[in-house]
Amino acid sequence: MTVDTSSAGDAGVGAGAEQLAVAAAVAAGESVLSRRFGSAITLVTPEDLAGSGPATVIRARVVSSFALPRTLVIKHYRDRPASGADPFAQEAVSYQLFTALSPDERMCPELVAHDGRARVLVLEDLGRTPTLEDKLYARDSRAAERALLSWARSLGRLHASTAGREADFNALLRRLGGPAKSDSGNVDELCERVAPLIRKRLGIPVPREVRAQVTAALEQSRAPGFRAFSPVELSPDNNLVTGQGVRFLDFENGCVRSALVDAADLRLPFAGWPDALALPAGMSEAMIAAWRAEVVEVWPAFADDEALAAHLTASELLRVWLITGEELGSLNLARHAPPVSREAAFVTWWRDLAKHAGYVRMTAVSEFAARVAAALAARLGPHADLAFYPAFR
């Protein structure tokens, strides 16, 4: 789910199905707020925030109540999924978990009210605040750097404040009737098909030692030692840059998993986002340092430079491996194809993996990653270099 919170003025509500969805969200919000506060609450001038997920997301102004902020955000999930994890339950429980924390530990809007039967959430409105994406696509490199470091610090605080809270998360999820969401998904099956795919598309066999390192990285991702809450979708369009630091939105896929899975995005920033571009040299290392400063008291093992580097490289290997399995089959690797950032991103990620694996003496992985990066670059020719975000050009 992506929410546009940076546009000026009230957005048009639209007609037909969209208008009905907005009206239903307003009614659901008024109902849960009235029950929560014991008196009639009226919401007016709804603004459709154009959420791209399964929920209708609106901002509305509050009247007839002195106890509430002037505006609130309403998320209304009308349709229950036929099977699998319920995004409403995942998001409601995620916000409940954070709302129970102190404001300094809460890296997201506060949950004001929710109703499991009406499938509605009422959230604090953080206002018309720029997203991290806005900062990356503006022309102010200093502002973009500050926003990235704030994002990394907020991610670390999010992990530190929820470490050891898995039982709480699962208890809240059971109370809402949502099935526990596995943080593994179809990872095993996906891992198995990567090696044949690389051989088919690039003509490179995967050494046995590399497969063993991938298996070890997968086991690390499932180990109990560094588990904390994860928003899962770490995209810059789902992060608001506020005066108190970056705040996370969109917990429809939120779950508890190894914090190291998220930390891989410090090495491969926003790799799961289709529009991911390059960051300047040293930026990733600065982000890792900012994240580490927030989590080291909870996980003292990360104070050791070599131990942290080994953990991060294993997570980076798994992240590159899995995203290659998801996307390599559809990449256009024709040498004279128009420049496409996604193809160039793969070259960058495999090159970086080769470099980082060399630093921690994962020699087989380093050599293999270098071969994959070279093969990808040869296919793309002059289009192999990933462009920087506009803020850094």
Side-chain angles (χ1 to χ4, degrees):
M1 187 277 291
T2 301
V3 176
D4 178 7
T5 65
S6 59
S7 60
D10 287 346
V13 166
E18 290 183 5
Q19 189 171 7
L20 290 173
V22 168
V26 169
E30 289 178 337
S31 177
V32 68
L33 286 170
S34 297
R35 290 197 302 275
R36 169 73 173 77
F37 292 98
S39 62
I41 305 292
T42 303
L43 302 175
V44 299
T45 59
E47 174 188 350
D48 189 348
L49 296 180
S52 61
T56 299
V57 188
I58 65 168
R59 173 186 287 121
R61 186 163 62 86
V62 181
V63 297
S64 70
S65 174
F66 60 88
L68 287 168
R70 191 170 69 90
T71 60
L72 292 167
V73 170
I74 317 296
K75 295 193 71 171
H76 185 214
Y77 292 80
R78 290 194 298 175
D79 301 322
R80 191 179 296 273
S83 61
D86 181 355
F88 165 76
Q90 299 294 140
E91 183 144 43
V93 166
S94 301
Y95 277 114
Q96 282 182 285
L97 187 70
F98 279 102
T99 299
L101 302 175
S102 68
D104 288 343
E105 296 177 307
R106 191 182 305 138
M107 296 295 107
C108 64
E110 181 179 1
L111 178 65
V112 177
H114 74 285
D115 187 325
R117 287 174 296 182
R119 299 174 62 76
V120 62
L121 304 169
V122 180
L123 303 169
E124 172 190 12
D125 181 15
L126 297 180
R128 301 182 190 280
T129 304
T131 65
L132 182 53
E133 180 186 13
D134 294 331
K135 295 292 186 180
L136 291 171
Y137 278 85
R139 293 293 178 178
D140 188 337
S141 61
R142 293 290 182 88
E145 288 176 5
R146 289 194 297 269
L148 286 166
L149 293 176
S150 178
W151 176 80
R153 282 192 295 270
S154 292
L155 182 63
R157 288 177 194 166
L158 179 147
H159 288 152
S161 63
T162 58
R165 302 291 299 273
E166 186 166 9
D168 297 337
F169 184 88
N170 290 336
L172 290 168
L173 195 57
R174 286 193 297 271
R175 191 178 302 170
L176 269 181
K181 179 176 179 175
S182 169
D183 59 306
S184 298
N186 64 342
V187 169
D188 294 281
E189 178 185 343
L190 183 56
C191 275
E192 286 297 320
R193 68 172 187 250
V194 176
L197 185 59
I198 290 175
R199 183 158 195 163
K200 177 181 178 181
R201 294 228 57 192
L202 301 177
I204 301 174
V206 181
R208 183 178 303 173
E209 187 174 349
V210 172
R211 294 184 188 226
Q213 292 281 6
V214 171
T215 299
L218 183 56
E219 291 173 353
Q220 173 186 278
S221 75
R222 293 170 172 168
F226 306 114
R227 293 177 73 80
F229 177 80
S230 169
V232 177
E233 293 186 8
L234 295 174
S235 300
D237 53 347
N238 282 334
N239 299 277
L240 297 183
V241 183
T242 76
Q244 291 72 46
V246 168
R247 293 296 179 261
F248 293 88
L249 303 175
D250 185 10
F251 297 144
E252 292 164 4
N253 294 298
C255 68
V256 174
R257 64 181 185 180
S258 172
L260 290 164
V261 176
D262 286 350
D265 269 52
L266 301 170
R267 285 274 181 88
L268 313 165
F270 317 116
W273 191 45
D275 299 322
L277 295 175
L279 296 178
M283 194 69 236
S284 180
E285 289 76 9
M287 292 162 64
I288 290 170
W291 173 83
R292 177 192 199 176
E294 300 295 334
V295 302
V296 70
E297 286 191 17
V298 178
W299 298 309
F302 293 158
D304 184 295
D305 290 344
E306 290 189 4
L308 177 61
H311 283 304
L312 287 174
T313 303
S315 294
E316 181 182 4
L317 167 61
L318 183 61
R319 187 78 171 100
V320 173
W321 189 262
L322 291 175
I323 204 165
T324 298
E326 291 170 348
E327 299 188 32
L328 181 59
S330 60
L331 290 181
N332 182 3
L333 301 178
R335 182 175 178 81
H336 300 292
V340 178
S341 63
R342 201 61 177 169
E343 284 82 346
F346 272 76
V347 178
T348 297
W349 296 334
W350 279 101
R351 281 175 179 166
D352 287 348
L353 175 60
K355 178 178 64 176
H356 297 143
Y359 292 160
V360 297
R361 296 180 293 280
M362 294 170 62
T363 305
V365 170
S366 180
E367 293 174 351
F368 173 74
R371 289 186 65 195
V372 171
L376 289 168
R379 298 290 187 95
L380 295 176
H383 308 310
D385 292 330
L386 182 62
F388 289 103
Y389 286 101
F392 302 112
R393 293 175 188 170

